[in-house]
Amino acid sequence: KQVEDRWYLPDGRSLHVNADANGKGVTYLYENVTEQIALESRYSALIQVQRETLDTLREGVAVFAPDGRLRLHNSAFARIWQLDPELVDGEPHVDDVIAQCRKLYDVPEEWERTVAMVTAIVAERHPYESQFDRPDGTVLKSAALPLPDGDTLLIYRDITDAKRAERALIEKNEALQAADRLK
């Protein structure tokens, strides 16, 4: 019978212990896993800080792996595209995410370009920016950026208020020019 255990020693070391009982006695195997546990702990802390940092951003951020799976996202991304939390937390494929996004903005060329960016060979990927005027009145500025490890970063920023202010200023300026011409 084989038994596994983890020992935490008073000097700070951690050991992974395997005890294997056979017909002639017991064999013990000790493995020092102190460094491995420390690395896992630092990695988990780093991932947690990264997630919390992303969640403070107002911009929607999504990182897709080269296989097309959603690797990382923030809550703003899910909110902007009204995505089901169960969907985005399950590492969905970019096609599944886009199927949900198309409910709010259905322009095939835009989504084809996004899929190509996420799944293309690394050497063929080029960053791009675009702007979405969704039927619900929301205006989004987006960017797709290739990352050095083969991942793709997608960023969506809601610029609806800025566009409304810009349009109001243009209309006011046109009205002033028309009034000036009447004089």
Side-chain angles (χ1 to χ4, degrees), residues 60-64 70-74 77 152-156:
V61 175
V63 176
F64 286 89
L70 181 62
R71 180 175 290 188
L72 185 66
H73 71 283
N74 66 356
F77 175 71
T152 302
L153 172 65
L154 301 178
I155 303 168
Y156 297 93

Side-chain angles (χ1 to χ4, degrees), residues 117-134:
M117 178 69 165
V118 169
T119 60
I121 297 172
V122 174
E124 298 175 3
R125 301 178 323 145
H126 302 287
Y128 69 87
E129 291 185 13
S130 62
Q131 182 174 306
F132 301 158
D133 290 328
R134 292 193 328 205

Side-chain angles (χ1 to χ4, degrees), residues 15 32 37 56 101 108 126 162 179 183:
L15 299 179
N32 186 345
I37 291 172
T56 63
C101 294
H126 302 287
K183 288 181 185 180

Side-chain angles (χ1 to χ4, degrees), residues 6-153:
R6 189 163 282 178
W7 293 356
Y8 300 97
L9 304 178
D11 65 359
R13 290 182 298 147
S14 299
L15 299 179
H16 180 242
V17 181
N18 277 326
D20 189 11
N22 53 34
K24 299 179 183 176
V26 179
T27 303
Y28 290 95
L29 177 63
Y30 301 93
E31 179 185 8
N32 186 345
V33 292
T34 307
E35 188 64 28
Q36 179 184 352
I37 291 172
L39 285 172
E40 288 172 359
S41 176
R42 286 196 300 265
Y43 177 75
S44 294
L46 181 63
I47 293 298
Q48 186 63 29
V49 166
Q50 187 180 45
R51 283 198 180 280
E52 288 179 16
T53 301
L54 284 178
D55 274 339
T56 63
L57 298 175
R58 287 186 291 162
E59 293 85 5
V61 175
V63 176
F64 286 89
D67 66 356
R69 296 257 170 231
L70 181 62
R71 180 175 290 188
L72 185 66
H73 71 283
N74 66 356
S75 56
F77 175 71
R79 186 179 64 253
I80 286 170
W81 290 108
Q82 300 174 12
L83 298 172
D84 180 6
E86 286 185 26
L87 171 75
V88 291
D89 290 341
E91 294 188 2
H93 191 268
V94 65
D95 292 334
D96 299 325
V97 174
I98 287 173
Q100 294 297 310
C101 294
R102 288 181 85 152
K103 293 176 182 177
L104 296 174
Y105 185 75
D106 192 15
V107 176
E109 301 81 29
E110 189 64 45
W111 297 119
E112 288 166 9
R113 182 165 65 160
T114 300
V115 169
M117 178 69 165
V118 169
T119 60
I121 297 172
V122 174
E124 298 175 3
R125 301 178 323 145
H126 302 287
Y128 69 87
E129 291 185 13
S130 62
Q131 182 174 306
F132 301 158
D133 290 328
R134 292 193 328 205
D136 65 1
T138 303
V139 181
L140 299 175
K141 188 159 186 91
S142 75
L145 308 162
L147 298 175
D149 63 354
D151 288 357
T152 302
L153 172 65

